[in-house]
């Protein structure tokens, strides 16, 4: 595609927002300010940004346990996301969700979960709601290569195909299901080929290229809006850090040389920055200004999170679903 300058810069902006936000969480972790380990998507920013840019702010989205980047790429406020990670009242879920249970309805983020694959049927439900209401919205469903082997994905894909629901199933295949290589758990080289079994299009793209991802998801979104049903997009990518940052692994399951190659040769931000410069879509000054702008935004988010109070104890009993008069 002929990449337009504004779109290209927005791709880089969203990738930087994810990277720098998560680098800030690493600093907070070492400072003892985070209440738990965090699952980072550093290395996977291009797949996330490209996919989310192909949707609108109103379109629905569901994530997984590695989901800081998803609402960020959808346009969520960094300050409220950071406050949520710190368990503060100013967070998007008032400090009740934390790192693995973010939700921000203002940008269509319906939520995420630490249970592998559990958000997939939620996305299908959102697609069903969009179909019934006729509002033209699409549900973007993120999941990983590990969840690709969960039965709930196959049930959800089948139902979405039968009812021609506006759902885009998006697999972030980072090559590792925790500590097991994807090829040892999955019967096919490309997860996207499984789409054939459900009568929907399937495509595999380079997950380190936000443009390739954007094009594939844009085509799937357009198909969904036309009422032609779901699609499956697989992005081959890689996570640079451990399954969870702070997780101690006694015997490493992957060679450091493998990680080094991806960091040095396949870093999506480095690759895309060079592309912008090579194609004349931005100069060094513009790229540096954008970097400085995002760094300032992240610093302000950290300050907001630190200054935000913790929830009052009685807040634990609010926002609960219950039937009045029912036995407890």
């Amino acid at each position: 595609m002929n990449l337009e300058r504004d779109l290209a810069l927005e791709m880089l902006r969203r990738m930087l927002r994810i990277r720098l936000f998560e680098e800030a969480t690493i600093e907070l972790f070492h400072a003892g300010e985070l209440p738990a380990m965090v699952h980072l998507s550093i290395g996977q920013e291009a797949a996330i940004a490209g996919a989310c840019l192909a949707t609108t702010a109103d379109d629905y989205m569901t994530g997984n346990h590695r989901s800081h980047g998803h609402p960020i790429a959808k346009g969520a406020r960094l300050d409220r996301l950071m406050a949520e990670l710190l368990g503060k009242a100013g967070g998007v879920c008032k400090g009740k969700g934390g790192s693995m249970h973010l939700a921000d309805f203002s940008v269509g983020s319906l939520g995420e979960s630490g249970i592998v694959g559990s958000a997939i049927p939620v996305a299908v439900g959102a697609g069903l709601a969009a179909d019934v209401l006729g509002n033209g919205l699409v549900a973007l469903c993120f999941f990983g290569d590990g969840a690709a082997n969960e039965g709930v994905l196959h049930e959800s894909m089948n139902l979405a195909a039968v009812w021609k629901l506006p759902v885009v199933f998006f697999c972030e295949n980072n090559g590792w299901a925790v500590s097991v290589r994807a090829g040892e758990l999955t019967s096919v080289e490309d997860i996207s080929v499984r789409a054939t079994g459900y009568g929907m299009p399937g495509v595999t793209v380079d997950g380190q290229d936000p443009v390739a991802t954007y094009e594939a998801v844009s085509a799937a979104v357009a198909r969904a809006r036309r009422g032609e049903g779901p699609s499956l997009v697989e992005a081959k990518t890689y996570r640079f850090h451990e399954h969870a940052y702070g997780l101690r692994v006694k015997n490493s399951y992957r060679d450091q040389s493998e990680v080094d190659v991806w960091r040095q040769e396949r870093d999506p931000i480095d690759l895309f920055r060079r592309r912008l410069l090579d194609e004349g879509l931005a100069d060094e000054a513009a790229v540096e200004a954008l970097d400085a702008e995002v760094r300032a935004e992240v610093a302000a988010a950290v300050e907001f999170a630190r200054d935000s109070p913790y929830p009052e104890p009685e807040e634990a009993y609010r926002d609960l679903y219950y039937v009045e008069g029912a036995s407890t």
Side-chain angles (χ1 to χ4, degrees):
M1 66 179 289
N2 292 322
L3 190 58
E4 297 180 357
R5 185 177 188 274
D6 289 347
L7 177 59
L9 289 175
E10 187 58 29
M11 285 180 174
L12 181 59
R13 182 195 307 278
R14 298 197 189 194
M15 291 164 67
L16 286 171
R17 291 179 91 227
I18 298 170
R19 174 71 59 90
L20 297 177
F21 179 94
E22 294 206 315
E23 287 181 349
T25 67
I26 292 175
E27 295 178 7
L28 291 169
F29 176 85
H30 287 293
E33 296 182 61
L34 279 179
M37 296 181 294
V38 285
H39 298 76
L40 304 176
S41 54
I42 291 176
Q44 301 179 202
E45 297 92 345
I48 299 168
C52 287
L53 272 168
T55 67
T56 69
D58 293 330
D59 283 326
Y60 305 121
M61 180 194 72
T62 60
N64 52 26
H65 60 282
R66 194 179 307 284
S67 260
H68 304 155
H70 301 144
I72 291 175
K74 203 70 162 50
R77 286 174 48 179
L78 298 188
D79 53 359
R80 298 196 64 212
L81 289 175
M82 190 66 79
E84 187 62 36
L85 265 62
L86 268 60
K88 298 296 189 72
V92 289
C93 299
K94 305 178 185 178
K96 301 176 184 180
S99 171
M100 288 198 293
H101 301 91
L102 299 171
D104 188 351
F105 292 176
S106 69
V107 293
S109 175
L110 302 181
E112 57 202 49
S113 173
I115 301 174
V116 175
S118 63
I120 296 170
V122 175
V124 175
L128 175 60
D131 184 59
V132 171
L133 295 171
N135 58 20
L137 298 181
V138 171
L140 175 61
C141 175
F142 285 100
F143 62 96
D145 48 281
N149 296 319
E150 292 284 338
V152 68
L153 172 67
H154 299 273
E155 294 175 38
S156 297
M157 289 175 64
N158 182 67
L159 190 63
V162 169
W163 287 347
K164 294 189 181 303
L165 300 180
V167 182
V168 178
F169 296 96
F170 189 88
C171 178
E172 292 176 83
N173 185 350
N174 64 23
W176 292 93
V178 187
S179 59
V180 181
R181 193 177 291 278
E184 297 178 18
L185 293 175
T186 307
S187 61
V188 291
E189 182 175 348
D190 294 328
I191 290 169
S192 64
V193 302
R194 291 178 171 174
T196 303
Y198 303 102
M200 68 176 73
V203 63
T204 297
V205 298
D206 178 3
Q208 306 308 87
D209 182 353
V211 178
T213 304
Y214 174 80
E215 289 182 309
V217 177
S218 291
V221 167
R223 181 176 186 271
R225 293 201 205 281
R226 291 194 301 267
E228 298 175 12
S231 302
L232 171 61
V233 177
E234 175 191 17
K236 294 288 184 71
T237 183
Y238 198 81
R239 59 172 165 82
F240 290 175
H241 289 281
E242 267 303 335
H243 169 68
Y245 192 86
L247 181 67
R248 296 181 179 275
V249 180
K250 186 175 181 180
N251 297 308
S252 181
Y253 52 87
R254 57 181 184 176
D255 292 336
Q256 185 58 43
S257 60
E258 175 184 307
V259 180
D260 291 342
V261 168
W262 280 89
R263 282 180 176 273
Q264 296 165 13
E265 301 178 13
R266 299 285 290 147
D267 185 308
I269 293 179
D270 290 346
L271 291 172
F272 195 60
R273 185 185 286 116
R274 286 200 297 270
R275 177 173 178 176
L276 296 190
L277 297 174
D278 291 345
E279 296 184 10
L281 291 167
D283 55 22
E284 288 284 0
V287 171
E288 291 175 6
L290 184 57
D291 184 273
E293 176 188 324
V294 175
R295 287 182 185 279
E297 184 185 9
V298 171
V302 172
E303 183 178 1
F304 173 88
R306 284 172 168 161
D307 291 343
S308 182
Y310 285 104
E312 296 296 330
E314 56 268 21
E315 185 63 35
Y317 299 98
R318 299 194 180 109
D319 303 317
L320 300 176
Y321 176 80
Y322 71 99
V323 178
E324 190 169 353
S327 61
T328 58

